[in-house]
Amino acid sequence: MLLEGQTALVTGASRGIGRATALALGRAGAYVVINFRENQSAAADTLEQLNKDRARGELVRFDVSVEKDVEDAVKKIVDARGKVDILINNAGITADNLLMRSKSEEWDKVIGTNLRGPVLCVKAVCRGMIRQRYGRIINLSSVVGQTGNVGQSLYAATKAGILGFTKSMARELASRGITVNAVAPGFIESEMTAKLTEDLKEEFRRSIPLGRFGSCEEVAELVTFLAAPEAGYITGQVISINGGLYM
């Protein structure tokens, strides 16, 4: 199997793209550490499905925006597993609103999870990856970080920040055999898009050349490819998966 013997940490893996990615990595042979912050039952469902797929993993609860929590969690994983080979920075939140109506505490929460979180997680795992001269880091961005969007300045700012962070870390870590890439999904069928009205969904579909939303599983397969040893010559890239919405 592609990832046999490797340990993968997936943040925000209780639902959506994170859940699908955890399951895809498990099917590829990785031992998957499923991170969550609040929804333990959903995270447990992910682990249960992982076990049904005859894959292995565990739950680790921590807040990606809190440095000590991240450091302690990574130390626990390394003490138990010996290493972290793959890091998927997927945890993210939104606080959609026009800038003039947004509150400073909303900025703090969104930036803390979406941008500070990946920075802390990469910092925590990269020392071990450097020692073993191998690692795969994939950061989840968004098409909104490439195009911007009305009412999503907070979210767009963090997802655009991920792109610069990804490219910088790719340069810093390349000499140690560590690749760092970003995946930028467009409209994906998820709990978030499920809240949209049918009229709004249809309007969005008309703007997508392929005429449909993507699936979490499609994003997960792309992430799994980038996490594999065979993707070792791909680094510093932003790979869009958006049905042609942004080219």
Side-chain angles (χ1 to χ4, degrees):
M1 301 175 82
L2 284 175
L3 304 178
E4 189 68 41
Q6 296 195 29
T7 299
L9 169 59
V10 184
T11 68
S14 61
R15 57 191 175 89
I17 291 172
R19 171 187 166 89
T21 298
L23 297 178
L25 293 171
R27 288 192 297 269
Y31 182 92
V32 184
V33 179
I34 298 164
N35 158 256
F36 70 100
R37 183 180 62 181
E38 295 175 351
N39 198 337
Q40 184 167 352
S41 64
D45 287 344
T46 302
L47 180 59
E48 182 179 357
Q49 184 58 55
L50 193 72
N51 293 333
K52 287 180 180 177
D53 291 342
R54 297 185 179 181
R56 297 180 303 136
E58 64 180 284
L59 304 181
V60 176
R61 183 176 195 162
F62 64 91
D63 185 337
V64 298
S65 70
V66 179
E67 187 168 15
K68 187 175 187 308
D69 286 4
V70 173
E71 290 175 347
D72 289 349
V74 170
K75 183 179 185 302
K76 177 183 176 182
I77 296 165
V78 172
D79 286 347
R81 300 290 304 167
K83 57 180 181 170
V84 174
D85 303 285
I86 300 163
L87 169 64
I88 313 298
N89 279 313
N90 167 77
I93 60 173
T94 62
D96 296 347
N97 209 340
L98 296 176
L99 177 62
M100 67 180 71
R101 296 175 182 168
S102 64
K103 300 176 181 178
S104 59
E105 54 265 33
E106 292 174 332
W107 277 93
D108 292 342
K109 288 180 181 178
V110 174
I111 292 172
T113 299
N114 297 8
L115 192 55
R116 177 180 169 85
V119 171
L120 292 177
C121 289
V122 170
K123 184 180 179 183
V125 304
C126 71
R127 192 178 300 277
M129 289 182 175
I130 288 169
R131 281 197 298 268
Q132 68 186 24
R133 303 187 70 85
Y134 180 88
R136 296 285 184 267
I137 297 170
I138 298 104
N139 300 318
L140 270 293
S141 181
S142 168
V143 66
V144 174
Q146 298 170 308
T147 66
N149 196 31
V150 174
Q152 289 194 302
S153 58
L154 299 177
Y155 186 71
T158 59
K159 292 304 184 177
I162 284 292
L163 305 184
F165 175 62
T166 295
K167 292 174 183 291
S168 297
M169 291 312 304
R171 291 184 181 277
E172 286 189 23
L173 299 174
S175 65
R176 300 297 181 174
I178 301 165
T179 66
V180 188
N181 292 289
V183 170
F187 289 106
I188 304 299
E189 292 280 4
S190 66
E191 290 181 14
M192 192 178 300
T193 55
K195 297 175 183 177
L196 301 174
T197 66
E198 286 304 317
D199 288 346
L200 198 53
K201 287 181 183 179
E202 185 55 34
E203 181 182 337
F204 287 146
R205 288 191 192 99
R206 286 197 295 269
S207 69
I208 302 169
L210 285 181
R212 66 175 179 87
F213 290 176
S215 71
C216 293
E217 288 72 23
E218 287 173 312
V219 180
E221 290 302 323
L222 172 57
V223 173
T224 301
F225 165 72
L226 292 172
E230 288 78 2
Y233 202 52
I234 303 172
T235 197
Q237 302 305 304
V238 180
I239 302 179
S240 297
I241 177 166
N242 59 37
L245 178 64
Y246 173 76
M247 299 184 186

